[in-house]
Every structure is written in C-alpha cells, then in structure tokens.
Amino acid sequence: MKRIMILGASIVQTPLIEQSIKAGYETIVVSPDLSAPGHSLANTNIRLDVRDKDGVLKTARSHRVDGITTDQTDVAVRTVAYVAEKMGLPGIGYETALLFTDKYLMREKCKSLGIKTLEYRLCNSLDDAIDFFEEIGTGVAVKPVDNQGSRGVSLVKNMAELVDAYDEAKGFASDGRVLVEEFMHGQEFVVDGIAYDHQFENLILGDYIFFDLPNVFAASRLHFPSKANPDIVSKVGELNKKIITGFGLSQGRTHSEFIADGNDIALVEVAARGGGVFNSSDLVPLSTGVSSEAFLLNIALGVQSGFPEIKKGLCTCCYRSFFLPEGEVVSIEGVDEINSYPFTHRNNLCELYIGKKIAGNSDKTSRFFVIVSAKTHDELDLHVNMVKEALSIKVFSQTHGHRDPIWD
C-alpha cells in the first residue's frame, strides 16, 4: 500500500484526504491542530506546524512516505516542495515553490520575464515603507511577504494608517519582511490552472465580487465563468499562462488573481495550489470535469499518465460567502434545507453552532460559504437568492442586540 502525506487538515483539505482514503492509500495527515476535521478521516495523524520543513521531513522519512502533497493552502507549499526534493519524490522543486509563496520574489520574477507589475518595494523597516509611500503619493497596499488568507493586508491612504499597517503586516510575516505596493482599482479576476510534464492549461477564469467592508480583502462571491469583456478575459488567460510557464512549474494546480483597469492588467498574486473555499475541489470539477484531488495524488505518487481531459463550460457556478457580526450565535435555521438543494455542494456551515463566539472580521479566514451551481448566470443568481433566503442566523451582542449575517 502506498503511503501519502497530506499537509493541512482544515475543512478545505478534507476533499483531498477523502480521495486519498477512497483510493486505498495509507494517508498520513499533518497539521498543528488535531481537532481539525481532516484528522478524523486519516489513517495516521501528526501534530506539527506544516511550515516546519525539517520537522515534516523527519516525520516523512520515519513513515517512509511515497509522496507528499497539499491543496487550498499556501503555507504548506514550500514544505511539500522541500520534503519531496530531499526525499527524491515527485515535486515542483523548492526554488520554484519560493516564487509562488514569496510575494517579493514573485514580482521580481515577473519583472525578469518582462511582465508588467505594480510598483512595489520590499521594506525591512518602517522608514523604508514611509519613503515608498511618499514616492507613490497615493494609496498603497501593505502585505506580509509570505502569508495567506489576506492576514495582515491593509489598504493605506495616509501616513497615520501606514504606521499601524506596517506593524500588523510585519507581525504576520514569517521573517518580518513587508511588501508595500501601489494600489490599483479595477475588476479582479481569478484563474485556476493545471500543469503536467511542464505543460500548462488554464482551467477556469472568473470574477471576484468583494465585501464592502473597510480593510477586509475578501470576496463575497466568486463566479465562473467570467462575465467580463471576452477580450479582457482572453488577455488575462494569456498573461496567466505566460507567468506560470515563465516560473517553470513542472506539475500541479495553480490559482492566480489579477486586477484590470481597462486594458491595463496586473498580477495580484499566483499560487502553486488550487483555489481555496472549495474552488479546487468543487468549482473546478463542476466546470471542467477535472478532479483536482485525483490529479494531485497521482502526480505526488508519480502515477499520473498524461494530461487530464478538460471539458470547458460544463456549468455556471460560484461560492457565495458571508461574515457574521461580532457576538454569540443564538439561532441557526435553514442549513438542512440548503444541503437538500440539488444545486448546492460543499459548504462550511457545519462549523456553525449555537453558542459559537464570533470575533471581529479582518480577513478571509472567518467567512462562511456555500458552493452553488446552475446552467446560466441568471439561474445562478436565483439559486444564490434561495440560499440566502433559506439561511437564518442570529448573532447577539450586548452592544448591538440581534444581528443577521453580512452578505455584502
């Protein structure tokens, strides 16, 4: 029996773990939290920080694994590549993984490939950030160089905001490095793709719609396919293929985000893993028939036999997400009804319960979401509205009383 190690055990990693078990592999799951849902599925559970490259390597060697993989998370990508390289297992190479997980190296590589980027600066001190802010003379985005889920990301409009934003970003960066870059307004796009044997194809391209909340860089909705001008969509897809190919990705899944202001298109970030929020596990197969989980396991074990067949445009689909206001959940209705709909798929509503304490929402990680499908965009809107009408959640706080979910 082949042994596969999977890094990450949150609800979005459960599809990968389930597929591994279904395929008959001995499945070893590593995460820092043994209460995470993926651990209830695994054959062997290891409590370990997935960013601890040498710790994971030691564990992988002791279990004599035949492959290592992850999906829908950035923080494990470097470790997967590192362990695979050290053990002589299939992988993308550690240096390549750095390009996809370090926002500064990502932009430097784009520059070397002749790909236009937003103006940016790697800042090792607040003074560096202040100098760059004064040069730009307009709003900037302040980011940790190597985090995920929009943690520590801020839009800064004045010097007073810059001081707090820099400290927050530095706190989320693994080595204290902060990226400050020009902030561009426009339509944001998402592209998920697939690479095998140094060949690359775009899978799906869609549109982000964001929450209207201050300094919360999170989408309320991501739908496929894009509704944008076909010429812009084509240019985004071509640019994505140029970046992935230029980065030298030999195999795996990719998730990229772009912003367009008219015909001016810039990369926001690119990742060597499938999109989160069940994008990789649900939206991709719904749209194309490609199983991300089967593909990722096969390439990790070296048993993939050719480029997967991609069937474009099988349906229209999206994730629809919401935040909950600060307080305590006091009532939940409609979850069973939503789960019974033929057009709904995976969701994380199982993480809701009476008495759950809700803290403030500052990044993507505190969202709740439902995957919804349809034949057309109009039908998709109807299905999403049915989900919103069916779900009733009340959150109580002494300050604000009873409040409803935040959908927009």
Side-chain angles (χ1 to χ4, degrees):
M1 179 187 294
K2 288 188 177 293
R3 298 184 183 91
I4 185 83
M5 177 174 280
I6 296 174
L7 303 192
S10 75
I11 194 166
V12 295
Q13 273 85 54
T14 56
L16 184 60
I17 298 167
E18 288 171 344
Q19 179 63 33
S20 180
I21 296 294
K22 181 180 178 182
Y25 302 136
E26 183 177 339
T27 306
I28 303 159
V29 173
V30 178
S31 92
D33 180 10
L34 291 180
S35 68
H39 284 297
S40 66
L41 306 170
N43 300 118
T44 303
N45 295 296
I46 307 294
R47 183 179 182 275
L48 189 63
D49 188 337
V50 298
R51 293 168 295 187
D52 180 358
K53 301 189 300 293
D54 289 311
V56 175
L57 174 60
K58 181 179 179 181
T59 303
R61 281 175 168 160
S62 70
H63 284 274
R64 302 189 302 280
V65 302
D66 300 296
I68 181 169
T69 189
T70 191
D71 195 25
Q72 302 195 48
T73 177
D74 282 322
V75 296
V77 169
R78 291 187 195 181
T79 303
V80 168
Y82 179 81
V83 172
E85 191 171 276
K86 293 293 185 181
M87 293 184 65
L89 302 173
I92 65 174
Y94 186 67
E95 293 301 316
T96 299
L98 290 178
L99 295 177
F100 285 94
T101 55
D102 184 307
K103 293 180 177 62
Y104 174 69
L105 294 179
M106 190 182 297
R107 281 148 181 75
E108 289 285 287
K109 183 63 175 179
C110 283
K111 187 187 293 185
S112 73
L113 293 170
I115 295 168
K116 180 183 176 182
T117 68
L118 299 172
E119 292 294 319
Y120 63 92
R121 180 174 296 175
L122 179 65
C123 298
N124 295 305
S125 69
L126 178 58
D127 287 341
D128 288 343
I130 291 172
D131 288 344
F132 182 73
F133 181 79
E134 290 177 340
E135 285 180 20
I136 292 293
T138 183
V140 297
V142 181
K143 307 175 178 180
V145 165
D146 58 351
N147 212 305
Q148 68 172 16
S150 77
R151 294 183 182 97
V153 178
S154 301
L155 171 61
V156 169
K157 299 176 182 177
N158 57 58
M159 195 65 71
E161 294 176 345
L162 180 61
V163 175
D164 291 338
Y166 180 84
D167 287 341
E168 182 180 7
K170 185 175 181 179
F172 279 99
S174 64
D175 59 3
R177 293 183 304 148
V178 174
L179 188 76
V180 182
E181 64 182 5
E182 170 190 4
F183 186 80
M184 180 176 173
H185 293 276
Q187 170 65 52
E188 294 211 24
F189 297 93
V190 171
V191 191
D192 263 45
I194 189 167
Y196 176 69
D197 194 22
H198 297 277
Q199 300 178 62
F200 177 79
E201 293 293 337
N202 294 318
L203 288 168
I204 52 177
L205 194 154
D207 306 323
Y208 263 150
I209 299 171
F210 285 85
F211 285 96
D212 186 20
L213 296 170
N215 262 339
V216 177
F217 293 90
S220 62
R221 175 169 170 159
L222 167 59
H223 60 240
F224 297 101
S226 173
K227 295 182 181 181
N229 182 301
D231 289 339
I232 297 296
V233 169
S234 178
K235 289 178 180 177
V236 170
E238 290 170 3
L239 180 57
N240 188 58
K241 192 167 186 176
K242 182 177 181 180
I243 291 170
I244 304 299
T245 303
F247 279 27
L249 187 70
S250 58
Q251 62 179 28
R253 289 274 288 102
T254 66
H255 176 78
S256 310
E257 300 175 7
F258 295 88
I259 188 165
D261 182 5
N263 289 316
D264 192 11
I265 304 168
L267 174 70
V268 177
E269 61 182 39
V270 57
R273 45 86 179 169
V277 196
F278 296 133
N279 185 350
S280 183
S281 57
D282 285 60
L283 297 179
V284 163
L286 284 168
S287 299
T288 68
V290 174
S291 168
S292 295
E293 291 77 35
F295 176 73
L296 289 170
L297 292 167
N298 286 345
I299 60 173
L301 293 167
V303 297
Q304 181 68 25
S305 58
F307 209 94
E309 181 184 5
I310 303 170
K311 302 174 182 178
K312 296 292 183 74
L314 293 180
C315 76
T316 302
C317 53
C318 74
Y319 72 63
R320 190 61 169 94
S321 66
F322 62 90
F323 286 112
L324 290 178
E326 191 170 356
E328 180 179 333
V329 176
V330 293
S331 70
I332 306 168
E333 296 179 0
V335 173
D336 288 343
E337 182 177 351
I338 289 170
N339 288 332
S340 73
Y341 292 152
F343 51 79
T344 59
H345 308 274
R346 287 190 180 93
N347 59 65
N348 69 337
L349 301 181
C350 60
E351 296 182 342
L352 285 167
Y353 55 87
I354 303 298
K356 184 179 180 70
K357 301 294 192 299
I358 306 297
N361 299 298
S362 59
D363 57 56
K364 301 176 183 179
T365 60
S366 57
R367 288 177 298 174
F368 295 89
F369 42 84
V370 181
I371 301 295
V372 185
S373 65
K375 295 179 181 178
T376 66
H377 278 294
D378 286 343
E379 185 179 63
L380 187 65
D381 290 339
L382 291 174
H383 290 174
V384 167
N385 286 335
M386 289 176 65
V387 169
K388 291 172 65 176
E389 290 169 3
L391 187 63
S392 175
I393 303 170
K394 295 294 182 183
V395 178
F396 178 80
S397 72
Q398 294 292 340
T399 305
H400 300 287
H402 291 88
R403 290 190 290 171
D404 299 315
I406 302 165
W407 287 99
D408 298 296

